[in-house]
Amino acid sequence: MIDGAPPTTGHLHTYRTQGHLVLEFHGEIDVNAALDMAPALDAHTTHPALSVIIDLSQIEFFDCSGLRLLCRARRRILDHSGELQLVCDHPLTLHILRVTGLFPGFDPVASLKEALDRSGNVEQAG
């Protein structure tokens, strides 16, 4: 458990690495999974100036319930002056992000390593 947040679920694992909180989604992210994940996801996205990486590399299915979770997490993180990166290489999920117009707001990368490298480059440039 991180920062007194609800325990992770079968669909959401959390851990810290290199100064980032990683929220790793697992399995089929549908309405039932979203209901299960929402309390923990909300608890993890309320801290100020948090650097979060949402990792979708372990998902098998992702529907509009998953999009709602992503949008809610993004809004909460940015409202608290945090930063969010999205890891996603699943072609169908990337397609969903594009057709809904959400792709630019998330600017996904293909791997956790790429997200961590990008963050290091941003920190060095700043």
Side-chain angles (χ1 to χ4, degrees), residues 54 67 70-74 84-86 97 102-109 118:
I54 295 180
L67 284 179
L70 284 182
C71 290
R72 181 178 175 88
R74 181 177 182 272
L84 172 67
Q85 293 190 72
L86 181 66
L97 289 170
L102 297 172
F103 191 91
F106 286 100
D107 191 23
V109 295
R118 177 191 279 183

Side-chain angles (χ1 to χ4, degrees), residues 83 116-126:
E83 124 184 350
L116 293 169
D117 288 348
R118 177 191 279 183
S119 179
N121 290 335
V122 169
E123 291 171 7
Q124 291 171 7

Side-chain angles (χ1 to χ4, degrees), residues 40-108:
L41 193 64
D42 283 353
H44 288 302
T45 56
T46 60
H47 304 286
L50 191 61
S51 179
V52 177
I53 298 172
I54 295 180
D55 186 350
L56 302 181
S57 63
Q58 302 298 315
I59 63 166
E60 299 163 13
F61 175 79
F62 196 81
D63 71 5
C64 62
S65 300
L67 284 179
R68 279 195 299 274
L69 283 177
L70 284 182
C71 290
R72 181 178 175 88
R74 181 177 182 272
R75 185 185 75 242
R76 292 169 64 87
I77 292 163
L78 296 179
D79 284 352
H80 289 93
S81 302
E83 124 184 350
L84 172 67
Q85 293 190 72
L86 181 66
V87 174
C88 180
D89 65 350
H90 193 275
L92 184 55
T93 304
L94 292 170
H95 177 72
I96 291 169
L97 289 170
R98 282 188 185 96
V99 299
T100 57
L102 297 172
F103 191 91
F106 286 100
D107 191 23

